[in-house]
């Protein structure tokens, strides 16, 4: 904390020179340092190799501002030559620019590098003021990094008195069909529209607009049938024709729907089905415009029975010159969360600054993207080891809306023009519900696809989203992670294993289970010939009886993994005929 | 208008190269071109002298960004070597950056120079879009420039259906005592405060805080006694301790009063007196913060019976890198006006971009400052010819809240530490109510001072603020202007003459008066020994009978002028004993 001092009341941060002396040429799991984007694949390399690998690490993105050939992001995961695991991050990023790290690759010292504003300043300060924490987590056990709560705990306790309105959400959404290119967000194919002037009722739909009343009802039906809490609908509101890459200030108003999306009908239909609609506020980075409409937008949600919103900040920030991770936007994101709380609205912000544990203080921040999520599987793919690193990095700051559950890995099945392949096996898609902690979990694929795999879909229906207990069973960044979690209320356990591109065998013990209980273990695993590239859908489902004495040796395909549900067996009859694990 | 074209939908303006080929080395009445400030004295020079005079013309200001040694502002007034009067300006500045002019002093061509944004762009456009008009007004009669309505007429007609709530306002205010330094805006002498955290009820006042309940009641009493519509109160709200020059984002909330300003008591007191309180929203240039609080601030006004607001943008703009005259802020000012209209609130914006006739379309923009106003008389003074130029320049775009009526020209009488002298005679202060057109007129001096000069104050009480007819009787930019205006409703005429630093005699005919009426002419004029520097308070008041045949030869002191009220005499008795003019 910077105390108020006679000559230090208002001041500008020119640079904050926190140094992390790494000393030796350890291995880093790093993302290119960037003021705007975190949506990169991880590069695993020696520290001295960062400079040489930077140009390939910086893959194209819609808004990006890398700042140095040796600049990397936090949370930065390191593994030393003598197998010590070290994590560098920050906590409680409030009213301050986001920190990156810049490596001096001669001395092997990382120095903090703050995000500048439009005129190059790095933080406007009034003392007394606490600056964000800089954290170092170190252990010779990788699992300790995953289990560390230091980032959350360095944040202030919950600031809300009433938190009854904040609840975990399992949802589906009108989303993947647009991400893959099968459908469109936009109602029409116009090149340019003007909100309030373009009369969409006089314009014909392009025929690919997914967010239409009939189609949304199908999603609501599916959600109701399978006990989902909510249905996200993207592309419901006017403005998607020209929202992107035009630096358009007044780009959305967040309350005007396209003519084929009937707000009233869908509100009542959702109510009748006991399912919530989930709001979508894409801002296109136009932060002033969003703030101008925010009260009306949130009120519109309340009036129409929405209680959660996915917000997005795709593209360059307006005001121009500001970036996603500068003090200006850090202030904005928190403003949006606090104001949402006034309306009892939960926020899942995408493309926002990477989280630093603020969800402890503001638990209506139920999710963030702020890293390369599943959407990139339809934009060329994520590295197969991606989900073996994210829990060591991105997830330390808070839950991620990774949107797992893709059952059709061949994107061209939805859009012949899109040759992307989802670079995981189907079994691993299930594992992610356990390995990627979030109180907000999506089943991201299309209902029509789930209907073809109802046996595997059963796991998504069953899996918990709120937990009493968490164990890390196996963990090595870049290679694999196996989690076990006990569901709040039911006492059921769920296990998930994510594996990198190498075939491996997972060896776990079930000693975390209650010693006096018997469980039905349903194992969703890769078949022996499964492979994320050539045979991703080869999964098998087997049932066993499990106790705290059980052990498992489970094959994981390249890019594979497995998921297990362990439900408490109340009677012998339930487990009759099942082998013991 | 730029039509929508296949390859011109969204685009950036890099520069707009409108040229005005002036051709010869004429005389210009110019202000330094500046992205942030218009609060300069005019320099009168040949065009070729601009470069050499620029450094002295750019006097210090709290936020200033001059951009070129030959850059000047519009409206630019020119007088050619053969006595043609030419004015260059723009009209209907909407969603576009403000235009300045840059002189090529070899070719004597002015080229438009747009205000850039934080990253150097000059305008984000979506076709079809109308760009602001560029205007040239020329006449061999200077009065024609003053009478031109081209700037207003190039704006769209009034956009409001109901305008009943927009009314002229004559007001006094808790203001000049702070401007002079006699009193303070701030409640305390703390160096730093935090809104919502600093508990002002536990802090003692500094004893100089003018916006306190008792004192404001005195102003309300005076306003009621002398038929003013409103009392402006500045410094009523928390935040004045550290509002300036700290780039403080959350600087005011516009609803939290200091503990000695009782909103409820004053609301009721003002009501009981039939006087309105006028709101003050100083933003400190923190535009995001203002927009965040705007709805609450306007609602607070409605709830407390305020119907007009003086807003201010002192200091550098936030977002940093933006300036007062760029597209970002041009958008903001209009947003504030439109939103005010939703609450039926009239806006008088200070330090906003120079007006371009928008008050035609949005008549609740009842005033602007946007030039060097009377406040500078307490900051060292304005040039004596200042008010002989403003009507040729600044006022073409809309009314100016010049805040005339200073009766105590020796500022040290209020604040011994302030050696400023108001650089006009008292008689000329009266003339400004007629020469500086505005439906919003302030009597800017202190009630205690007016009480010492109730004979002269009578003119301020009498003078109209809403007019049926306007005549320019004499006009020469930089030297003098004499206006006659007929008050709406009453049929009374008022004459005002402002004079530069040279003693002159004004020669006017009263042929504008109704031929069949007799008028009581009350002439408020400089005594023969009056002088703006040495004897500014030497005024005299004489009454005559006037008709359309009357003529007047009236001496004007250096920095002086005169004001005349011409009230219709209904009977012979009223004019008994008065000489004929
Ligand atoms: Ca690996
Ligand atoms: Ca002169």
């Amino acid at each position: 904390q910077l105390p108020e001092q006679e000559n230090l009341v208002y001041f500008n941060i020119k640079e904050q020179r926190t140094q992390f002396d790494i000393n030796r040429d350890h291995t880093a799991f790093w993302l290119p340092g960037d003021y705007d984007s975190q949506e990169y694949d991880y590069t695993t390399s020696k520290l001295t190799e960062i400079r040489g690998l930077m140009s390939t690490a910086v893959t194209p993105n819609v808004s990006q501002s890398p700042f140095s050939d040796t600049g990397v992001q936090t949370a930065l995961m390191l593994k030393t030559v003598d197998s010590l695991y070290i994590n560098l991050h920050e906590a409680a990023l409030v009213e301050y620019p986001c920190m990156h790290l810049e490596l001096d690759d001669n001395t092997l010292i990382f120095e903090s590098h703050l995000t500048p504003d439009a005129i190059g300043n790095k933080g406007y300060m009034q003392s007394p003021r606490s600056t964000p924490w800089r954290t170092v987590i170190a252990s010779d056990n990788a699992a300790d990094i995953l289990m560390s709560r230091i980032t959350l705990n360095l944040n202030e306790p919950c600031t809300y008195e009433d938190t009854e309105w904040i609840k975990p959400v399992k949802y589906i959404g009108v989303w993947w069909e647009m991400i893959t290119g099968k459908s469109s967000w936009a109602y029409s194919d116009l090149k340019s529209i003007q909100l309030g002037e373009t009369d969409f009722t006089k314009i014909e739909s392009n025929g690919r607009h997914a967010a239409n009343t009939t189609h949304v009802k199908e999603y609501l039906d599916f959600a109701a049938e399978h006990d989902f809490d909510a249905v996200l609908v993207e592309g419901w509101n006017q403005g998607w024709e020209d929202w992107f890459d035009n630096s358009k200030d007044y780009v959305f108003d967040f309350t005007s729907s396209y003519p084929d999306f009937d707000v009233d009908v869908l509100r009542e239909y959702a109510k009748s089905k006991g399912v919530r609609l989930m709001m979508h506020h894409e801002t296109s980075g136009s932060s002033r415009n969003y703030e101008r409409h925010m009260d009306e937008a949130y009120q519109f949600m309340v009036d129409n029975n929405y209680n959660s919103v996915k917000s997005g900040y795709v593209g360059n920030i307006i005001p121009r010159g500001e970036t996603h991770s500068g003090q200006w936007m850090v202030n904005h994101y928190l403003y949006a969360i606090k104001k949402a709380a006034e309306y009892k609205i939960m926020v899942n912000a995408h493309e926002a600054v990477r989280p630093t544990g603020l969800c402890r203080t503001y638990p209506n921040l139920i999710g963030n993207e702020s890293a390369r999520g599943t959407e990139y599987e339809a934009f060329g793919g994520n590295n197969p080891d991606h989900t073996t690193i994210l829990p060591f990095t991105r997830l330390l700051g808070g839950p991620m809306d990774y949107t797992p559950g893709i059952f059709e890995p061949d994107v061209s099945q939805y859009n012949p023009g899109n040759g992307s392949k989802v670079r995981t096996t189907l079994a691993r898609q299930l594992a992610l519900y356990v390995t990627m902690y979030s109180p907000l979990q999506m089943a991201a694929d299309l209902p029509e696809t789930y209907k073809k795999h109802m046996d595997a879909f059963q796991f998504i229906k069953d899996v918990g989203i709120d937990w009493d207990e968490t164990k890390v069973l196996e963990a090595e960044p870049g290679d694999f992670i196996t989690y076990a979690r006990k569901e709040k209320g039911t006492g059921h356990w769920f296990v998930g294993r994510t594996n990198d591109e190498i075939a491996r065998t997972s060896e776990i013990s079930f000693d975390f289970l209650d010693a006096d209980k018997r469980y039905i273990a349903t194992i969703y695993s890769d078949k022996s010939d499964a492979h994320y590239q050539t045979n991703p859908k080869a999964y098998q489902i087997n049932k066993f009886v499990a106790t705290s004495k059980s052990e498992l040796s489970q094959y994981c395909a390249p890019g594979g993994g497995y998921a297990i549900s362990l439900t408490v067996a109340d009677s012998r009859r339930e487990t009759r005929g099942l082998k013991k694990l």
Side-chain angles (χ1 to χ4, degrees), chain A:
Chain A
Q1 209 212 31
L2 293 156
E4 184 171 349
Q5 297 162 61
E6 181 64 23
N7 294 312
L8 194 72
V9 181
Y10 286 95
F11 56 102
N12 261 341
I13 303 288
K14 289 296 172 196
E15 194 53 87
Q16 181 187 352
R17 303 201 177 278
T18 305
Q19 293 193 335
F20 301 90
D21 187 349
I22 302 302
N23 191 24
R24 287 179 65 189
D25 196 12
H26 303 307
T27 299
F29 304 85
W30 56 275
L31 298 177
D34 193 302
Y35 301 148
D36 278 301
S37 185
Q38 304 138 66
E39 299 184 353
Y40 294 112
D41 269 315
Y42 285 91
T43 302
T44 304
S45 78
K46 295 287 173 195
L47 294 177
T48 53
E49 295 167 343
I50 290 177
R51 184 184 297 275
L53 292 166
M54 186 59 73
S55 63
T56 46
V58 178
T59 45
N61 213 298
V62 296
S63 173
Q64 57 188 158
S65 308
F67 62 87
S68 157
D69 278 352
T70 59
V72 299
Q73 305 201 15
T74 74
L76 177 68
M77 191 65 205
L78 298 165
K79 185 176 181 183
T80 70
V81 290
D82 40 7
S83 290
L84 187 70
Y85 300 90
I86 301 175
N87 183 287
L88 307 178
H89 195 24
E90 66 179 317
L93 173 59
V94 174
E95 200 52 59
Y96 204 76
C98 175
M99 175 183 75
H100 315 270
L101 294 173
E102 186 159 18
L103 177 70
D104 180 330
D105 46 6
N106 289 314
T107 61
L108 298 180
I109 291 173
F110 278 111
E111 189 169 276
S112 58
H113 176 100
L114 303 178
T115 308
D117 76 351
I119 58 173
N121 287 324
K122 301 207 159 184
Y124 298 85
M125 306 286 287
Q126 177 187 10
S127 63
R129 172 79 59 82
S130 296
T131 57
W133 296 89
R134 279 67 178 95
T135 57
V136 180
I137 318 173
S139 174
D140 53 8
N141 180 359
D144 289 345
I145 308 291
L146 297 176
M147 293 299 288
S148 172
R149 294 292 164 267
I150 189 172
T151 313
L152 288 168
N153 289 342
L154 289 172
N155 280 268
E156 296 296 314
C158 178
T159 189
Y160 307 137
E161 283 192 22
D162 170 21
T163 56
E164 267 305 298
W165 50 280
I166 303 169
K167 292 184 193 311
V169 179
K170 198 186 283 185
Y171 73 107
I172 59 170
V174 182
W175 177 74
W176 186 245
E177 52 184 295
M178 283 92 87
I179 292 288
T180 55
K182 172 185 164 70
S183 311
S184 75
W185 282 272
Y187 172 77
S188 75
D189 292 332
L190 294 174
K191 263 174 97 162
S192 165
I193 66 109
Q194 312 241 23
L195 294 172
E197 293 177 32
T198 305
D199 183 354
F200 286 98
T201 65
K202 301 207 169 116
I203 295 162
E204 221 177 320
S205 159
N206 60 17
R208 297 177 294 111
H209 182 233
N212 66 74
T213 307
T214 308
H215 195 48
V216 172
K217 278 185 178 175
E218 293 165 9
Y219 275 83
L220 286 166
D221 290 342
F222 186 83
E225 187 181 344
H226 299 290
D227 267 341
F228 284 82
D229 301 302
V231 175
L232 165 71
V233 185
E234 297 200 1
W236 69 277
N237 58 328
Q238 296 177 18
W240 288 92
E241 279 77 4
D242 58 1
W243 71 286
F244 176 64
D245 206 25
N246 291 319
S247 202
K248 187 176 180 181
D249 194 323
Y250 182 32
V251 58
F252 291 111
D253 70 7
F254 311 97
T255 53
S256 298
S257 68
Y258 284 127
D260 59 347
F261 182 91
D262 192 319
V263 173
D264 296 332
V265 165
L266 287 169
R267 177 190 62 237
E268 296 308 318
Y269 193 80
K271 270 189 198 166
S272 77
K273 292 280 174 179
V275 176
R276 294 273 194 172
L277 286 163
M278 186 183 290
M279 179 48 73
H280 184 230
H281 289 167
E282 175 54 51
T283 68
S284 191
S286 186
S287 69
R288 178 172 69 176
N289 180 60
Y290 189 33
E291 293 196 10
R292 284 179 176 180
H293 293 88
M294 202 174 271
D295 275 297
E296 272 182 40
Y298 287 156
Q299 188 58 50
F300 179 87
M301 286 178 59
V302 171
D303 294 344
N304 290 293
N305 209 37
Y306 293 72
N307 67 343
S308 63
V309 60
K310 172 180 172 181
S311 59
Y313 297 89
V314 173
N316 290 333
I317 296 298
I318 303 179
R320 291 94 179 183
E322 297 299 334
T323 60
H324 285 76
S325 60
Q327 187 184 24
W328 183 266
M329 289 303 292
V330 165
N331 175 303
H332 166 86
Y333 306 128
L334 186 53
Y335 176 78
I337 293 162
K338 288 179 176 176
K339 196 169 261 297
E342 293 172 20
Y343 295 84
K344 305 203 172 183
I345 286 169
M346 298 180 277
V347 175
N348 165 26
H350 282 224
E351 299 90 23
V353 72
R354 45 192 169 275
T356 56
L358 283 179
C359 58
R360 181 185 184 203
T361 315
Y362 308 97
N364 66 318
L365 176 60
I366 41 162
N368 267 121
E369 184 187 46
S370 308
R372 191 174 174 100
T374 298
E375 61 183 354
Y376 281 86
E377 300 283 15
F379 306 158
N382 291 339
N383 281 346
D385 67 356
H386 194 55
T387 53
T388 70
I389 302 171
L390 284 172
F392 286 100
T393 53
R394 163 63 186 79
L395 267 67
L396 292 182
M400 177 170 178
D401 184 29
Y402 190 72
T403 68
I406 302 301
F407 279 14
E408 177 47 74
D410 179 4
V411 174
S412 72
Q413 295 295 314
Y414 296 138
N415 173 14
N418 188 337
S420 297
K421 302 271 195 264
V422 178
R423 300 169 78 187
T424 85
T425 66
L426 194 151
R428 187 169 81 171
Q429 286 291 314
L430 300 178
L432 299 178
Y433 289 88
V434 185
T435 62
M436 298 291 284
Y437 168 74
S438 180
L440 176 83
Q441 286 287 16
M442 185 181 201
D445 214 329
L446 274 54
E448 65 191 59
T449 297
Y450 288 136
K451 286 173 187 166
K452 296 178 193 161
H453 302 279
M454 288 309 291
D455 55 352
F457 186 64
Q458 188 63 42
F459 181 81
I460 300 180
K461 292 179 62 170
D462 293 341
V463 68
I465 46 174
D466 203 7
W467 311 105
D468 266 342
E469 225 177 304
T470 289
K471 304 273 180 195
V472 177
L473 307 182
E474 299 172 300
E476 181 61 34
D479 292 352
F480 53 82
I481 301 174
T482 314
Y483 268 107
R485 302 189 197 263
K486 186 180 189 182
E487 191 183 20
K488 194 166 274 179
T490 66
H492 302 325
W493 282 83
F494 295 87
V495 175
R497 153 79 174 211
T498 181
N499 201 57
D500 67 356
E501 72 284 0
I502 295 168
R504 300 178 189 271
T505 300
S506 166
E507 311 275 357
I508 63 169
S509 153
F510 290 84
D511 54 5
F512 53 83
L513 294 173
D514 286 7
D516 60 345
K517 293 210 176 75
R518 299 171 70 251
Y519 297 80
I520 302 169
T522 311
I523 304 179
Y524 304 75
S525 61
D526 300 319
K527 282 191 174 164
S528 60
D529 60 348
H531 191 289
Y532 76 97
Q533 286 173 311
T534 53
N535 196 18
K537 287 203 245 185
Y539 66 91
Q540 57 194 358
I541 304 174
N542 298 293
K543 290 200 186 227
F544 300 93
V545 178
T547 69
S548 62
K549 299 269 166 29
S550 299
E551 295 191 336
L552 174 68
S553 176
Q554 178 66 50
Y555 172 74
C556 301
Y562 61 84
I564 310 175
S565 69
L566 293 146
T567 56
V568 179
D570 294 321
S571 68
R572 287 275 152 191
R573 204 169 27 166
E574 292 180 61
T575 58
R576 190 166 299 159
L578 294 183
K579 281 196 197 154
K580 250 192 121 173
L581 253 195

